[in-house]
């Protein structure tokens, strides 16, 4: 899941390059275990184009210049498709960067970003979110991000085409509870997997988080940095922790914000998700009922019942919308639209607007637009990014066959419903995971995050009201990394998915001090203080 909001880009990009450190001009040294054709590449940076629809379906212009006139630059690099066979096939990786204006001798290095998902495009997101990180650039870092393998323009995973995705969303949604619905759900799964195999088959076993961590280290090397300085959000924290495990001696200053729980058990993860989103929904409802005309009733309990009944009713009768193609608001799309607004307190107003529209007009246009944006669908053209199929492929490469059978899922329904009357009945179906049809069946590398002996400590940042990565997961990740000797935890008492982009001065100061000066906050520091 991504941590940055969509922004509108208004100015064009130009090259504006100046001579900088040796990595820009000279061929790097060899990289261990890779042929020189990969390990000694020189990135060919040039002006960035408009992001492709695979990266950002809403983009209409290239990224604009930064505050000091610095232009965004883009490049591609090749990495082994399979690091066990580095002389065989390759995968092309798309990168973006903005250089720091400080003199070469004051430059701190490259600061790599991953904004989550899995499946989010870093090439599209970093320029959109760059205002949040401008002090880090002005302080000495080149800001760098990338599309992970299997995402966006890094040979993004393709499954169903855009029209087929729309048709599948409209055909059936919700919880299958009749023989016909079970048959239809099974057919849809078979069609989806067959399309993934047909369009992305050779790539699917190789889009693991561990391989992306290896790509990160190759990029670090090719950009001329001795250590990896890294800022990861949401799934990006899992990627950062994986890198720390694989390359502890190459860890630089690292921040992991909105930390993923390391427990691989799908039931545990699913219950955490249901609990986290319900907590965020309760906070929204507590604020909503203080308004003069909250659309869901007079108190939070009534609001929960109203939303649960809405989702149940949509299974039998989807709501009409103003979409010209006749798309309707189904249960699954309404669920996505509601959840998408809970990632940030600043998005609550859009949920109120959408629910008011449903109450007053019986139409679901606004909630469908919110679901489309979250799913990477352009509401006008119907084009999708690769975000959703990439998400599935990466999860299934990391933990193939980790899901439960349908009968086992049914056995957990009551517990999920107890966690969340609204989200539980639908989140429980995430437990089916990667079924027997998925072409990757054996886990290549079980997840491991032990980073004992890391060259630098890591800073974990967790938000008490985070819906998608609940606070407790950060505590467990700290333990998995090796405890306070390896990672310190900074706690933010607030709402939303990600603390740094909340702009809380306490959080921003603590993180910036660590990245810019090497002053690490004491373990268990709290914000606001």
């Amino acid at each position: 899941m991504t941590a940055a909001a969509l922004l509108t880009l208004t100015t064009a990009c130009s090259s504006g390059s100046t001579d900088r450190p040796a990595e820009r001009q000279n061929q790097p040294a060899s990289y261990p275990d890779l042929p020189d054709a990969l390990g000694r590449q020189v990135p060919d940076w040039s002006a960035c184009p408009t992001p492709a629809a695979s990266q950002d379906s809403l983009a209409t212009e290239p990224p604009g210049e930064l505050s000091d006139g610095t232009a965004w630059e883009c490049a591609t690099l090749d990495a082994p498709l399979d690091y066990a066979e580095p002389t065989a096939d390759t995968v092309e990786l798309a990168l973006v960067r903005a250089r720091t204006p400080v003199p070469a001798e004051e430059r701190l290095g490259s600061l790599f970003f991953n904004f989550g998902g899995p499946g989010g495009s870093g090439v599209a997101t970093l320029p959109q979110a760059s205002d949040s990180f401008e002090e880090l650039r002005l302080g000495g870092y080149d800001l760098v991000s990338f599309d992970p393998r299997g995402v966006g323009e890094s040979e993004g995973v393709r499954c169903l085409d855009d029209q087929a995705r729309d048709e599948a969303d409209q055909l059936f949604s919700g919880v299958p509870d009749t023989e016909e619905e079970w048959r239809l759900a099974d057919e849809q799964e078979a069609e989806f997997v067959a399309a993934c195999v047909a369009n992305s088959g050779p790539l699917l076993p190789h889009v693991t988080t561990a391989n992306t961590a290896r790509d990160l280290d190759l990029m670090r090397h090719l950009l001329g940095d001795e250590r990896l300085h890294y800022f990861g959000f949401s799934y990006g924290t899992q990627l950062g922790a994986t890198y720390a495990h694989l390359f502890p001696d190459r860890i630089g200053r690292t921040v992991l914000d909105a930390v993923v729980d390391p427990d691989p058990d799908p039931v545990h993860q699913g219950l955490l998700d249901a609990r986290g989103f319900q907590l965020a929904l309760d906070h929204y409802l507590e604020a909503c009922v203080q308004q003069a005309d909250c659309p869901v009733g007079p108190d939070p309990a009534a609001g929960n019942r109203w939303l649960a009944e809405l989702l149940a009713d949509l299974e039998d009768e989807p709501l009409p919308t103003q979409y010209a193609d006749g798309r309707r608001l189904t249960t699954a799309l309404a669920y996505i639209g509601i959840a998408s607004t809970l990632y940030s307190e600043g998005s609550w107003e859009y949920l109120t607007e959408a629910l008011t529209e449903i109450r007053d007009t019986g139409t679901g246009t606004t909630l469908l637009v919110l679901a489309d944006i979250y799913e990477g669908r352009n509401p006008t053209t119907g084009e999708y990014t690769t975000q959703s199929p990439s998400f599935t492929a990466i999860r299934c490469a990391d933990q193939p066959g980790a899901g439960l059978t349908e009968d086992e899922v049914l056995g957990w329904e009551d517990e999920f419903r107890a966690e969340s009357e609204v989200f539980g009945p639908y989140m429980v179906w995430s437990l089916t995971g990667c079924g027997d049809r998925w072409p990757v069946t054996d886990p290549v590398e079980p997840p491991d995050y032990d980073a004992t002996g890391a060259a630098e400590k890591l800073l974990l940042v967790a938000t008490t009201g985070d819906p998608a990565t609940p606070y407790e997961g950060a505590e467990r990740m700290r333990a998995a990394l090796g405890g306070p000797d390896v990672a310190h935890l900074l706690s933010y008492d607030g709402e939303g998915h990600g603390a740094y982009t909340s702009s809380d001065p306490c959080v921003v100061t603590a993180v910036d001090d660590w990245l810019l000066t090497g002053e690490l906050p004491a373990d268990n520091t709290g914000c606001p203080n």
Side-chain angles (χ1 to χ4, degrees):
M1 302 177 191
T2 56
L6 285 171
L7 302 176
T8 301
L9 307 177
T10 57
T11 55
C13 174
S14 60
S15 61
S17 297
T18 57
D19 288 341
R20 292 303 309 279
E23 61 91 359
R24 275 46 165 199
Q25 304 157 24
N26 301 325
Q27 191 174 51
S30 295
Y31 185 88
D33 301 322
L34 291 188
D36 282 351
L38 299 177
R40 304 190 69 193
Q41 300 172 78
V42 178
D44 183 15
W45 297 101
S46 61
C48 290
T50 300
S54 63
Q55 298 169 311
D56 180 354
S57 64
L58 299 175
T60 58
E61 295 182 356
E65 295 179 348
L66 290 101
S67 60
D68 59 356
T70 296
W72 291 95
E73 301 174 315
C74 289
T76 59
L77 294 171
D78 291 328
L81 179 64
D82 183 350
Y83 276 87
E85 298 184 15
T87 60
D89 293 338
T90 60
V91 57
E92 186 177 77
L93 306 176
L95 290 82
V96 66
R97 76 169 176 188
R99 295 181 180 182
T100 177
V102 305
E105 62 273 12
E106 297 177 18
R107 178 178 175 271
L108 295 172
S110 302
L111 180 61
F112 284 83
F113 290 82
N114 181 283
F115 294 96
S121 166
V123 172
T125 303
L126 180 57
Q128 296 167 2
S130 60
D131 285 352
S132 297
F133 312 111
E134 183 69 344
E135 291 303 314
L136 299 174
R137 188 182 70 88
L138 297 176
Y141 284 109
D142 292 349
L143 307 183
V144 181
S145 193
F146 63 106
D147 289 356
R149 57 172 58 208
V151 174
E153 289 301 283
S154 292
E155 303 188 21
V157 171
R158 266 77 174 179
C159 295
L160 297 172
D161 64 29
D162 296 338
Q163 182 178 348
R165 286 186 64 175
D166 281 348
E167 291 172 353
D169 282 341
Q170 294 293 295
L171 186 61
F172 168 72
S173 73
V175 176
D177 52 17
T178 68
E179 184 174 338
E180 175 62 17
E181 288 175 347
W182 280 109
R183 183 192 63 78
L184 188 56
D186 188 66
E187 287 181 357
Q188 284 187 316
E189 180 190 355
E191 181 182 0
F192 171 75
V193 173
C196 295
V197 172
N199 295 319
S200 302
L203 183 66
L204 299 179
H206 303 291
V207 293
T208 63
T209 299
N211 276 336
T212 298
R214 295 184 178 97
D215 293 341
L216 259 178
D217 196 60
L218 177 59
M219 288 185 281
R220 170 205 60 78
H221 168 75
L222 296 176
L223 268 61
D225 291 299
E226 292 185 5
R227 292 184 180 176
L228 179 80
H229 304 301
Y230 179 79
F231 205 144
F233 295 87
S234 193
Y235 164 77
T237 68
Q238 180 182 341
L239 175 59
T242 301
Y243 182 93
H245 169 69
L246 292 174
F247 305 103
D249 58 325
R250 301 174 197 172
I251 277 285
R253 295 173 189 171
T254 296
V255 178
L256 307 181
D257 188 358
V259 184
V260 169
D261 193 302
D263 189 341
D265 176 31
V267 174
H268 171 79
Q269 291 286 0
L271 288 170
L272 277 179
D273 286 344
R275 189 178 308 152
F277 276 96
Q278 184 60 51
L279 176 64
L281 178 61
D282 288 341
H283 291 169
Y284 159 75
L285 292 171
E286 289 164 5
C288 182
V289 298
Q290 301 303 315
Q291 301 172 13
D293 189 28
C294 180
V296 295
D299 58 67
N304 271 295
R305 289 193 298 272
W306 192 93
L307 288 168
E309 291 170 3
L310 169 67
L311 293 175
D313 290 345
L314 290 174
E315 292 197 36
D316 296 323
E317 190 173 351
L319 289 180
T321 71
Q322 295 179 5
Y323 274 65
D325 58 7
R327 291 174 72 231
R328 302 172 299 166
L329 180 69
T330 65
T331 297
L333 292 168
Y335 163 89
I336 292 168
I338 294 167
S340 73
T341 65
L342 300 178
Y343 281 81
S344 167
E345 190 172 356
S347 299
W348 289 358
E349 63 181 289
Y350 303 118
L351 180 56
T352 298
E353 179 184 341
L355 298 180
T356 300
E357 178 187 52
I358 290 172
R359 182 197 63 183
D360 293 348
T361 70
T363 60
T365 304
T366 302
L367 203 54
L368 183 53
V369 169
L370 290 168
D372 279 350
I373 292 173
Y374 183 83
E375 287 285 277
R377 183 187 188 275
N378 185 302
T380 302
T381 67
E383 291 180 290
Y384 284 89
T385 69
T386 66
Q387 178 177 311
S388 182
S390 298
F391 177 96
T392 298
I394 293 167
R395 288 298 192 207
C396 290
D398 280 347
Q399 293 181 280
L404 277 61
T405 66
E406 291 171 355
D407 288 341
E408 290 171 331
V409 168
L410 291 172
W412 284 100
E413 278 191 315
D414 290 345
E415 189 160 348
F416 272 74
R417 192 179 295 273
E419 289 289 352
S420 175
E421 182 182 3
V422 175
F423 298 112
Y426 309 98
M427 283 189 171
V428 69
W429 290 97
S430 68
L431 301 181
T432 54
C434 307
D436 294 339
R437 291 189 177 96
W438 192 257
V440 184
T441 56
D442 298 319
V444 178
E445 298 167 282
D448 193 338
Y449 307 110
D450 182 9
T452 302
E456 293 271 13
K457 289 187 178 181
L458 293 78
L459 178 60
L460 311 186
V461 186
T463 301
T464 57
D466 191 321
T469 52
Y471 180 88
E472 297 85 349
E475 295 178 317
R476 282 187 279 269
M477 181 62 86
R478 176 179 53 182
L481 285 163
D485 290 340
V486 175
H488 283 193
L489 178 59
L490 174 68
S491 302
Y492 170 52
D493 186 11
E495 301 294 329
H497 186 46
Y500 187 83
T501 51
S502 74
S503 300
D504 176 76
C506 173
V507 173
V508 172
T509 298
V511 170
D512 285 0
D513 284 350
W514 166 231
L515 290 174
L516 294 173
T517 72
E519 182 182 343
L520 184 69
D523 191 34
N524 290 321
T525 295
C527 285
N529 52 24

